[in-house]
Amino acid sequence: MPKKALITGVTGQDGSYLAELLLSKGYEVHGIIRRASTFNTGRLDDIYDDPHSGRARLFLYYGDLSDASALMRLVANIQPDEVYNLAAQSHVRVSFDNPEYTVDITGTGTVRLLEALRQTGVKAKFYQASSSEMYGKVAEIPQTEKTPFHPRSPYACAKVLAYYITVNYREAYGVHASNGILFNHESPRRGETFVTRKITRAIAHIKAGLQQKLYMGNLDAMRDWGYTKEYVGAMWLMLQQPEPDDYVIATNESHSVKEFLEIAFDYVGLDWRKYVEIDTRYFRPSEVDYLRGDFSKAKQKLGWEPKTKFQDLVKLMVDADIRSLNDQLSGKVKRQDDNPFSPNISRT
């Protein structure tokens, strides 16, 4: 029998790459998605198998981290071997505008999922997607698993709650529960409202003559950026260990938003200063100035280390957005009513 994995946030950037990885390893993958009026499964289209062929290993269910009874029911019915909690309201700036919702989904939602495992008695290994934003006003550089947290946003506060409740269930109930403290990780599947995709998508539109200006916030913020496709491998490795633990996943390099702009625009032969304007509405009420993570523990215990360099990550994202826009303009993009998932989502 193949292993079963349950992924919350399966339609997101991390969830789609993780589902792809687990399927390649022979897993049966179950994912929870939120009900929406439009299709939100586009990132999964390329890895979906038709259930009528008899080889489907990816199953989707409507659900939400705000619904404890639904989570309990899904966990009991699926009986997963591994649970990856990737769902969240994950936009830091948005969390200032919607703090209560952010804490409920990102923080308390983790409690509900852990309780579903405890109440049903399902002995699944549990992965919690923790965040470098928890370090906030950093106490040391680089940040390690022992660096104190000083969250600077409602999102980060919610992630600290989720981190410690994961540790608590590990210590109180013996759950094989691990935190992956992932620093910024990007890819062509990153949401379009996040700063990296906002930049690379704008470049594609500027090159095509469809956009004149790109409005940005703080260009001096320093972040440790890695490639999501590699980071989900670390998630999987954590749940293959005999004992649960917490790990920083990062590159131990830090680059500013301005550096990202310079590399991305220069790659297509443009001067970013001619197109970028600062809009103070994009500034956070409290900023996280500098993040750089030390992945030494992950390298030593998991055998994991990043491979994709920062400049290469920027360029592959620019290439992907230019290619995507060209496909749209040439009519190669699949229509929404061609979406393969629409008749096949369980309503369990």
Side-chain angles (χ1 to χ4, degrees):
M1 289 289 291
K3 278 188 177 181
K4 294 181 183 178
L6 174 62
I7 304 174
T8 70
V10 70
T11 59
Q13 171 190 237
D14 294 18
S16 64
Y17 279 115
L18 179 61
E20 196 171 37
L21 173 69
L22 295 178
L23 289 169
S24 74
K25 294 181 178 296
Y27 278 66
E28 182 178 293
V29 177
H30 300 258
I32 300 176
I33 68 172
R34 286 176 296 177
R35 181 73 177 91
S37 58
T38 57
F39 290 119
N40 56 2
T41 54
R43 294 184 179 96
L44 301 174
D45 286 351
D46 291 339
I47 60 174
Y48 178 71
D49 285 331
D50 183 354
H52 301 297
S53 69
R55 54 187 176 86
R57 290 184 291 122
L58 175 59
F59 304 91
L60 301 181
Y61 308 84
Y62 288 127
D64 196 291
L65 287 183
S66 65
D67 189 342
S69 61
L71 293 175
M72 197 96 63
R73 188 165 59 249
L74 284 168
V75 167
N77 289 344
I78 295 167
Q79 295 282 311
D81 300 289
E82 298 172 4
V83 175
Y84 297 85
N85 184 32
L86 311 184
Q89 190 301 99
S90 58
H91 198 290
V92 177
R93 182 63 190 82
V94 170
S95 77
F96 285 99
D97 300 322
N98 297 282
E100 184 178 348
Y101 174 77
T102 299
V103 172
D104 182 51
I105 298 301
T106 307
T108 311
T110 305
V111 180
R112 295 185 185 107
L113 188 53
L114 283 164
E115 266 297 281
L117 289 175
R118 188 177 76 88
Q119 294 282 357
T120 59
V122 173
K123 302 298 183 184
K125 295 180 178 179
F126 183 84
Y127 171 84
Q128 170 58 27
S130 291
S131 169
S132 60
E133 287 286 329
M134 299 187 304
Y135 294 117
K137 190 175 182 179
V138 299
E140 62 182 359
I141 298 173
Q143 294 86 55
T144 72
E145 293 81 4
K146 296 181 179 179
T147 303
F149 299 140
H150 188 149
R152 302 264 285 172
S153 67
Y155 167 76
C157 291
K159 281 293 187 182
V160 170
L161 164 59
Y163 173 93
Y164 279 119
I165 200 67
T166 299
V167 173
N168 180 250
Y169 272 67
R170 180 169 75 211
E171 295 177 350
Y173 304 116
V175 180
H176 190 296
S178 297
N179 283 288
I181 308 173
L182 271 59
F183 282 62
N184 292 64
H185 45 289
E186 314 297 325
S187 75
R189 299 181 191 175
R190 179 54 117 170
E192 294 175 357
T193 60
F194 290 81
V195 65
T196 52
R197 273 301 305 287
K198 182 178 177 179
I199 293 169
T200 59
R201 186 174 181 274
I203 287 172
H205 283 73
I206 290 168
K207 286 288 289 184
L210 301 175
Q211 185 173 333
Q212 300 300 317
K213 292 291 183 181
L214 170 59
Y215 295 94
M216 298 288 294
N218 181 15
L219 302 187
D220 297 322
M222 303 285 290
R223 293 292 184 269
D224 184 327
W225 274 303
Y227 186 22
T228 303
K229 194 170 185 178
E230 297 170 0
Y231 281 36
V232 298
M235 299 177 188
W236 177 78
L237 285 168
M238 290 179 210
L239 298 199
Q240 310 318 304
Q241 305 309 304
E243 299 296 330
D245 207 343
D246 308 316
Y247 298 89
V248 164
I249 304 300
T251 70
N252 208 358
E253 293 183 12
S254 192
H255 301 272
S256 68
V257 176
K258 185 182 293 185
E259 283 181 78
F260 197 106
L261 280 167
E262 290 172 343
I263 293 170
F265 274 86
D266 184 64
Y267 181 52
V268 296
L270 297 176
D271 182 350
W272 69 272
R273 290 166 293 191
K274 294 180 179 179
Y275 301 95
V276 175
E277 292 190 10
I278 302 300
D279 187 335
T280 57
R281 291 177 298 178
Y282 293 115
F283 281 69
R284 301 178 186 178
S286 52
E287 182 58 86
V288 174
D289 297 314
Y290 191 101
L291 293 175
R292 177 160 65 90
D294 182 349
F295 63 91
S296 299
K297 181 178 177 180
K299 183 176 181 179
Q300 177 187 354
K301 292 196 171 184
L302 305 178
W304 182 92
E305 59 183 318
K307 296 181 174 60
T308 302
K309 298 298 183 183
F310 176 68
Q311 288 197 1
D312 294 331
L313 174 62
V314 175
K315 291 174 183 178
L316 75 84
M317 291 180 67
V318 171
D319 285 339
D321 269 319
I322 290 175
R323 188 165 55 247
S324 176
L325 180 59
N326 288 339
D327 287 346
Q328 290 179 44
L329 296 176
S330 63
K332 293 181 180 179
V333 175
K334 188 181 296 185
R335 301 191 315 272
Q336 281 195 339
D337 56 3
D338 290 332
N339 187 292
F341 290 102
S342 51
N344 302 310
I345 299 176
S346 170
R347 286 159 179 77
T348 300

